[in-house]
Amino acid sequence: MRDRPAVAKPVQPDPAVRRILERTELEGVELIRFLYADHGGVIRGKAASRSRLAERLNTGIGHTVAMMAMNMLDQLQEVEHLGPVGEVRIVPDPSTYVPLPHAPGAAAMLSDLRLPDGSPWAACPRTFLKDAIALLAGEGYTLLAAFEPEFTLGRRLPDPSGGPDRLVPLDDSLCYAGHGFDTAHDYTIKLVRALETQGLRVEHYHPELGPGQQELTVRHAPALRAADNHVLYRETVRGVALRMSMWASLAPKPLADQAGNGAHLHLSLWRESRNLFDGDSGGEGAVRDWFVGGLLAHLPALTALTCGSVNSFRRLAPRMWAGAYAVHGPDNREAAVRICSPLGESGEPNLELKPSDSSANPYLALGAVIHAGLDGVRRRLDPGEAVDVDPDTRPGRYPRLPSSLTEALDALEADPVLMEALGPLRASAYLAVKRSEAAAFAARDASYELFQHMRAF
Ligand code: GLU
Ligand code: MG
């Protein structure tokens, strides 16, 4: 007897997907942005309409492979396998769905770039971080992290002499000054609410050193979530400003003669429920030192990923509290690695990596940090002396970090651990994209560089 044709059973969507579909309906969301961060550090994506969402959650949205060869000036670089032929999918992670308060009617999901058959793609940055987290987990560790971003709030105005648009800061309030809270108040309240709505727990806020400079921090989270959070944070900082006819920039140095915008990276390493960066961590206290040893050993190369733009190196200079020397020290704000004293009972002992800013791709930055730290732990690398002075006051004694993107890229290319971790496709694309940016900005003046970075970040 011949089999009867099978009657297709209705597919039961997984509960996470069903919840998203219900929420878009309930919240009146029409467009769902599938976001990723590229090799230029720019956040990009495509949006699915509500009516196509059920299918797109499964298939992703089609995308050209070439976008991972695009630099922050939208100039496509020649990279083997990332040309006009080839296709990936922007596949959203259902656990990351958030409605966007600064873009009513829209929601966002953080996404992987996958091959059309659904398998991981060798140039996907989020996959790079996931793989690094899995490597850590294989050795029994979990990493918690938080970016501590600063940004400049103001208005984007045309240059009266016909040059590129300029960022004119909101105010000239002093650092931590009460007046600064008021000048930025309407914006910051909206920002806090928008972040909280997206599940980012706001910790602290203050007006910072430079004109219009703000610092608002969110609570730490497991590494992947921390990087996802930073993407949402960057989008929200800029989106809220835009809706208020303002302009916010997280560029490392949007105003050449003013304080830079860091995104210091706070880290703690855990085994089960024990924070191994706590001095008394059940006999594993040395792990923190080795992890720091790994960070410092790889730091010149690491800066190519954590300080990813030409503009980053205006900021990464001595006496800027940006950590321009490859040293560590307890509460030393000129050391690249500051060992932070914990804050109260809920504060966790953590490290702060200062050479880090928001022009980096957060997935690549955090993934590379994991590889560097883990290499230190595996090889039991000695971090050297704890430095308790400003290293810039001891000329020639401490190693200075790269002073340009080109120098940092040279260090990255010469670092076999990070190059192998990136893999050939990602490494060649990243180097091509970043070297093209270095060349493009070397050929132009400072106002062009400042404009392009405040536009992109
Ligand atoms: N703005 C400084 C930077 O670029 C950091 C200042 C601070 O310690 O908060 O990293
Ligand atoms: Mg600060």
Side-chain angles (χ1 to χ4, degrees):
M1 193 175 96
R2 279 188 41 212
D3 286 345
R4 281 195 312 183
V7 178
K9 278 200 213 137
V11 183
Q12 285 298 320
D14 93 53
V17 169
R18 216 175 40 234
R19 248 191 326 273
I20 291 170
L21 297 175
E22 283 165 10
R23 283 187 67 182
T24 51
E25 186 95 27
L26 217 66
E27 290 159 355
V29 166
E30 302 298 344
L31 284 173
I32 301 86
R33 303 176 187 176
F34 294 1
L35 299 177
Y36 70 95
D38 75 1
H39 281 143
V42 177
I43 299 163
R44 303 189 193 252
K46 290 186 178 179
S49 71
R50 171 153 45 119
S51 62
R52 304 305 290 159
L53 186 60
E55 195 182 336
R56 295 294 163 258
L57 287 173
N58 186 30
T59 62
I61 303 182
H63 203 40
T64 162
V65 289
M67 284 307 290
M68 286 309 278
M70 190 72 109
N71 72 13
M72 60 162 285
L73 295 162
D74 260 6
Q75 298 163 339
L76 200 53
Q77 300 308 302
E78 271 196 31
V79 178
E80 206 184 354
H81 307 300
L82 301 184
V85 181
E87 178 80 0
V88 284
R89 307 276 183 252
I90 313 177
V91 182
D93 176 340
S95 71
T96 63
Y97 173 89
V98 279
L100 297 176
H102 55 280
M109 298 177 76
L110 288 317
S111 307
D112 295 339
L113 301 174
R114 293 182 172 275
L115 292 170
D117 68 3
S119 60
W121 185 43
C124 168
R126 198 164 180 267
T127 301
F128 174 69
L129 176 56
K130 283 188 194 171
D131 290 347
I133 292 168
L135 207 63
L136 266 187
E139 308 214 4
Y141 303 119
T142 320
L143 187 85
L144 299 188
F147 289 84
E148 180 198 298
E150 296 162 330
F151 60 92
T152 307
L153 182 63
R155 293 202 159 72
R156 176 177 164 171
L157 296 178
D159 178 14
S161 49
D165 286 2
R166 298 163 315 145
L167 177 62
V168 178
L170 171 79
D171 64 10
D172 55 3
S173 72
L174 302 174
C175 190
Y176 302 111
H179 177 62
F181 284 92
D182 286 332
T183 50
H185 177 78
D186 290 352
Y187 171 83
T188 47
I189 291 299
K190 280 201 171 68
L191 177 62
V192 169
R193 289 187 178 139
L195 292 170
E196 290 280 349
T197 303
Q198 293 169 76
L200 279 73
R201 298 276 88 93
V202 173
E203 290 256 290
H204 307 119
Y205 161 72
H206 61 264
E208 258 262 11
L209 177 61
Q213 196 182 38
Q214 318 292 324
E215 177 174 321
L216 187 143
T217 53
V218 297
R219 188 142 180 88
H220 58 72
L224 182 63
R225 179 74 201 268
D228 286 343
N229 279 352
H230 194 50
V231 171
L232 294 174
Y233 182 101
R234 283 173 50 182
E235 291 289 274
T236 308
V237 159
R238 307 194 72 196
V240 171
L242 216 52
R243 282 190 73 79
M244 297 177 74
S245 305
M246 299 171 89
W247 193 267
S249 174
L250 299 102
K253 200 84 160 176
L255 307 167
D257 56 350
Q258 299 295 338
N261 292 322
H264 305 167
L265 193 44
H266 288 262
L267 308 163
S268 60
L269 191 70
W270 295 68
R271 188 187 288 289
E272 286 152 14
S273 57
R274 266 182 304 124
N275 181 348
L276 302 183
F277 289 175
D278 192 338
D280 176 30
S281 54
E284 284 193 282
V287 169
R288 185 191 73 190
D289 291 345
W290 299 331
F291 195 93
V292 174
L295 289 180
L296 294 179
H298 292 287
L299 208 44
L302 208 48
T303 53
L305 295 154
T306 57
C307 300
S309 66
V310 165
N311 192 241
S312 294
F313 293 84
R314 275 186 200 275
R315 164 186 171 259
L316 189 55
R319 315 262 171 134
M320 297 282 178
W321 294 25
Y325 287 89
V327 296
H328 69 102
D331 282 334
N332 186 339
R333 287 179 166 78
E334 280 290 349
V337 178
R338 169 185 164 218
I339 315 292
C340 306
S341 45
L343 199 60
E345 297 232 319
S346 68
E348 287 296 346
N350 66 90
L351 306 177
E352 178 185 33
L353 181 72
K354 286 182 167 278
S356 164
D357 67 57
S358 294
S359 66
N361 177 316
Y363 302 104
L364 296 183
L366 198 44
V369 158
I370 291 176
H371 282 282
L374 190 58
D375 184 51
V377 173
R378 284 172 172 166
R379 294 198 288 140
R380 306 190 161 206
L381 290 181
D382 179 359
E385 62 169 315
V387 174
D388 62 0
V389 295
D390 175 352
D392 202 51
T393 59
R394 305 283 190 277
R397 176 143 174 209
Y398 300 114
R400 172 82 168 80
L401 288 176
S403 58
S404 69
L405 180 60
T406 299
E407 245 181 73
L409 293 169
D410 291 344
L412 176 60
E413 238 179 318
D415 186 315
V417 171
L418 293 185
M419 288 296 280
E420 199 189 317
L422 290 170
L425 180 61
R426 194 180 280 112
S428 63
Y430 190 78
L431 289 165
V433 163
K434 288 295 159 188
R435 289 210 189 275
S436 75
E437 291 175 7
F441 289 118
R444 300 291 297 266
D445 66 5
S447 65
Y448 178 74
E449 176 209 311
L450 299 177
F451 163 68
Q452 290 294 351
H453 286 79
M454 73 96 165
R455 176 172 81 147
F457 304 110

